[in-house]
Amino acid sequence: MSIDQGTAAKVAKLARIRVDEKDLPALAQEFNNILGFIEQLGEVDVEGVEPMVSVTPMRLKRRKDGVTDGGQQDKVLSNAPDAREGFFAVPKVVE
């Protein structure tokens, strides 16, 4: 796959990056270099290689997955400008 200057300009516009016309050939070449490297990675034989979450062998900490009420209702409602009966009170929007 090859990226031309028009595609590079479109990608720059989508990314909201201002690129001068004179810099578009260099940007297109950089995109092509990146795509070439990705194609190289696709050629690597990874048969039998386990996916890793880190470069060091370690196990992630696990916790019991349980549903709770949070136990912090008072702390949460302390930030509310108006709280009534354990809920946020908001102005009526629809009459």
Side-chain angles (χ1 to χ4, degrees):
M1 181 175 175
S2 180
I3 302 290
D4 59 355
Q5 291 182 29
T7 305
K10 184 176 179 181
V11 170
K13 181 179 178 184
L14 290 172
R16 297 177 186 256
I17 300 172
R18 184 180 307 153
V19 178
D20 292 332
E21 285 290 325
K22 63 180 173 77
D23 295 331
L24 281 177
L27 181 63
Q29 183 58 44
E30 284 297 319
F31 284 150
N32 286 321
N33 291 343
I34 292 168
L35 290 175
F37 181 69
I38 292 171
E39 287 176 3
Q40 264 186 317
L41 290 176
E43 297 171 2
V44 175
D45 180 27
V46 292
E47 189 68 33
V49 177
E50 289 187 38
M52 299 186 323
V53 296
S54 174
V55 293
T56 57
M58 59 186 239
R59 234 158 115 116
L60 296 176
K61 295 180 181 178
R62 298 182 187 257
R63 63 172 172 79
K64 182 183 175 193
D65 191 16
V67 179
T68 66
D69 65 353
Q72 298 183 9
Q73 183 180 20
D74 295 334
K75 287 182 182 179
V76 172
L77 291 177
S78 69
N79 293 322
D82 187 11
R84 297 180 196 157
E85 300 175 18
F87 297 98
F88 287 99
V90 295
K92 189 174 185 179
V93 178
V94 179
E95 298 280 336

